[in-house]
Amino acid sequence: MNRLQQLFQEKKNILSIYYTAGYPNLGDTLAIAEELEKSGANLLEIGFPYSDPVADGPIIQASSKQALDNGMDLKLLFQQLKDLRKTVSIPVLLMGYVNPVLQFGVENFCKACAEVGVDGCIVPDLPMVEYERLYQPVFAKYGLSNIFLITPQTAADRIQKIDSLSNGFIYLLSSSATTGQNLQVSNHTEAYFSRIADLKLKNPTMIGFGISSKETFDKACEYANGAIIGSAFVKALDTSNLKGSIETFMQNFKQD
Amino acid sequence: MSYFVNEKGYYGDFGGAYIPEMLYPNVEELRQNYLKIIEDESFQKEFHQLLKDYVGRPSPLYLAKRLSKKYNANIFLKREDLNHTGAHKINNTIGQILLAERLGKKRIIAETGAGQHGVATATVCALRGLECVVYMGEVDIKRQAPNVARMKMLGAKVVPATSGSKTLKDATNEAMRDWINNPVDTHYIIGSVVGPHPYPDMVAIFQSIISEETKKQLIEQTGNDQPDYVLACVGGGSNAMGMFYHFIEDEKVKLIAVEAGGKGIDSGFSAATTALGKEGVLHGSRSILMQTPDGQVVEPHSVSAGLDYPGIGPQHAHLFKTGRGLYVSITDDESLQAGLLLTQMEGIIPAIESAHALAYLEKMTFTGKENVVVCLSGRGDKDMDTYMKYFNL
C-alpha cells in the first residue's frame, strides 16, 4: 500500500492542493510543498508545465507558461524533488500532459517518480486504452497510482472500466469544463454526484474543478472523499510573500 | 501494408485520440457516427450537389503548357484555387457542416491560421444558418485583416487567441477549450487532417474529392489515370491528403509532400516538421511535431500562415515513416519566386502555400514524358500584401 492508498483508508474530507512546479519562481517547488503540508493540506498535486495545455483554464495555463519561461522541465523537477521525502510526508502526485512524459520516456518517468517518493500521476490526455495496453505494467512495477478523470458525461460502463483500472482515487470533475470556473452545485450536479456515489466504486473519489472556498470544499465533501483546489490556490500565490500567502489561503480551509 | 486508418484509429504508429476525459463523449459520438453518416446515400447526394452547385466542382485539371515546356514534363494543375472561397478548405467544411446537422449540433466552432479555413467555416455556417465562432491567433488577426473582415461579414464571431505565440496552434488550443466547455450542442470543425481520431480520417475523406476528380480528368486528358508524380504542400496536410488519397495504394505514383522550410531548415525559423520534428503528441494525436527535448512544442515559422504549424497529420507521419511519401521542404524565398513564376507564365496568382509545391518542380528532373499533378490548393488574393512587400510592387 502506498501513501495515497493509506491516506484514503485513514482520512475523510481530504484537502488536495494543485500547484505548478517552478511557479512563481523556479526554485519554489519544494518550499511550497513543505508549506502546504504545514498548513494542513492532505495531498499534493504538483503540475509539470506544458506549452499547449488544452484542459487548463487561463490561471493554470499562465502559471505553466511562467514556469516554462523560468526554465522548468521534468529533469529539473525530479532534481528539485530529490529530497522531497526528508521534509514532506503527505502523498504527492505529479500532474501534466502526456507529451513531456513520452519524451522523458514512460519507464524513466515512473522510475524517477518512485525514486523521489512520488505516489502517483494524473495525465489527463493519456487515453485509458493506451494506459491499459502499454503503461499499466510500468506503473505497477514502480508502485505508482494512475488517476483517471470522469465528467458528468462519462458513461456508466466507462466509469466501471476506469474504476477497474484505478488504484488510488478517481478524479470527479464537477462539470465538463476547463479548470478555474466556479463550482455551481445545481440539481443537475447533485444528481451526477449521487449517481456516482450509487455506483459503489471500489476506489474513493475526489471532486475537482471549481473548488475555491471552504463552502465549495464542504459541499464537495458531502459527495466524495475530498476535493481538489487548483486555480484558486495558484491565483492566491504572492511572489513577494510566498509563505504568508499560502498560510492565509489555507487558513480558509481549517476545520471548525 | 495499409496506409489508411485501422479500427483503433491508428496509421501504423501514429494517430489515436489523446484527449482529456472532458472531450471523450464528443469525440466518441463522432467516431461512432461519422462513417455511417458520410456513407449514407442522402448525405452523399447533398454533399455532391453542394460541391457542384455551390463550390463549383469539379475543379479543372489544367495542363499548364508554358510551365510544362520549362520543366520538360506534362505539368497539370489541380485548380482548387477556383473553388468558392478560394481554396480547398471548403470541401471539408461543406462535409462537416452536413455532418454536424445530422448530429443535431446548433453551434459551430473552428480555428484558423491564414483565415482560409475560418472563411470556409463561416461561409457554410451562413449557408446553413448556424452560429459560428472562429478562434484566430491575435498575431494572425492582424496580418490577415481581409479574411477577418470576410468572416465577420459572414456573421461569424472572431475570437482572438491571446495565449502562447498567438498564432494557429494557440487558436487550436482555444477552440479545443471551447469544445470542452460546450460538449453537448457544439461541433468543432477542424480544418486539417490533424486532431484526435476520427478527424484525420474524416477530413481526408472529404478532401479525397480532389484525387477522385483528378483520376477521372487524367483519363480524359491522357488516357491513363496514373500520373508519375503528385505534389502538394503540407502544413497540417489536408490538401495533400486529398490530392494523395486515391493514389496512395498505387505505389507507381510517387507522392511528394512539400513542407515550409521558412528561412532554412537550420535557421531557427522553419516549419519543416519531418526534418526537424520528433514523434510525440499534439492536439489529440500521436504524430511528428517540432518540440524541445523536454516535449514542449516549438513555434514554427513560414511566410505562409497556412503552413505555419508545428506538426503534420498522423497519416502523413505514417507515409513519411514508411517511405511511401517523399517529404521535402522549400524556403520562403523559393516559394515566393515560384508564385511569381506561375503568375507570369500562366496568369495564375497562387496562394503562397501552393507556391511551395510549385517550387519543388525546380528541384526535379524530367525526361519529357512524365505526367505530374500539382495541387494548386488556393489562390493568392489573401497573400497580395506579402507578395507586394517582397517584390516591391
Side-chain angles (χ1 to χ4, degrees), chain A residues 138-167:
Chain A
V138 190
F139 274 62
K141 180 176 163 189
Y142 293 100
L144 292 177
S145 297
N146 186 42
I147 310 301
F148 291 98
L149 279 60
I150 62 178
T151 80
Q153 268 77 39
T154 308
D157 57 342
R158 187 167 167 84
I159 295 175
Q160 296 292 358
K161 177 79 184 172
I162 285 172
D163 192 38
S164 74
L165 283 175
S166 298
N167 58 354

Side-chain angles (χ1 to χ4, degrees), chain A residues 50-96:
Chain A
Y50 178 51
S51 54
D52 295 74
V54 290
D56 292 328
I59 293 169
I60 290 177
Q61 185 184 18
S63 71
S64 290
K65 182 170 189 309
Q66 180 67 51
L68 287 174
D69 291 347
N70 290 344
M72 180 48 69
D73 63 26
L74 270 176
K75 198 174 156 202
L76 178 62
L77 177 59
F78 286 121
Q79 278 169 21
Q80 290 185 346
L81 297 180
K82 192 164 55 71
D83 296 326
L84 173 74
R85 289 306 171 194
K86 288 184 182 160
T87 50
V88 175
S89 62
I90 55 177
V92 172
L93 306 174
L94 293 191
M95 181 166 187

Side-chain angles (χ1 to χ4, degrees), chain B residues 111-296:
Chain B
E111 85 298 327
T112 198
Q116 291 303 95
H117 173 60
V119 169
T121 304
T123 299
V124 297
C125 287
L127 177 71
R128 307 303 279 200
L130 291 181
E131 182 188 349
C132 181
V133 178
V134 179
Y135 289 89
M136 189 169 186
E138 206 171 42
V139 170
D140 290 335
I141 285 180
K142 282 184 190 140
R143 62 183 181 187
Q144 303 288 336
N147 271 343
V148 175
R150 281 185 190 103
M151 284 184 264
K152 287 182 177 167
M153 197 168 163
L154 288 159
K157 184 176 166 198
V158 181
V159 180
T162 55
S163 63
S165 58
K166 305 177 176 56
T167 59
L168 178 58
K169 93 179 166 63
D170 310 291
T172 308
N173 293 335
E174 290 300 328
M176 282 206 173
R177 276 198 194 102
D178 181 312
W179 206 25
I180 287 172
N181 290 324
N182 297 285
V184 180
D185 68 336
T186 298
H187 176 70
Y188 177 15
I189 300 191
I190 293 183
S192 194
V193 285
V194 301
H197 176 68
Y199 277 101
D201 187 45
M202 184 169 73
V203 177
I205 290 171
F206 290 141
Q207 291 295 0
S208 71
I209 187 75
I210 300 173
S211 48
E212 189 184 323
E213 287 175 2
T214 301
K215 279 173 84 91
K216 284 183 200 150
Q217 291 163 325
L218 277 171
I219 287 191
E220 286 163 15
Q221 296 185 37
T222 69
N224 183 356
D225 71 352
Q226 207 175 41
D228 296 283
Y229 298 94
V230 293
L231 285 84
C233 65
V234 174
S238 71
N239 92 88
M241 203 45 73
M243 186 74 250
F244 293 171
Y245 200 90
H246 291 281
F247 297 114
I248 287 179
E249 288 181 312
D250 182 351
E251 306 234 2
K252 283 185 187 152
V253 180
K254 295 181 187 71
L255 310 176
I256 301 181
V258 185
E259 297 182 323
K263 293 179 182 174
I265 285 175
D266 300 319
S267 67
F269 295 93
S270 179
T273 303
T274 56
L276 296 168
K278 272 178 54 192
E279 293 181 19
V281 169
L282 176 66
H283 294 147
S285 64
R286 188 188 275 260
S287 186
I288 296 173
L289 59 133
M290 289 164 53
Q291 55 183 320
T292 66
D294 187 41
Q296 309 299 338

Side-chain angles (χ1 to χ4, degrees), chain A residues 8 150 169-172 196 201 203-207 223-226:
Chain A
F8 282 96
I150 62 178
F169 66 89
I170 294 173
Y171 194 137
L172 219 61
I196 303 295
L201 302 175
N203 286 279
T205 53
M206 294 282 284
I207 292 176
Y223 299 95
N225 300 66

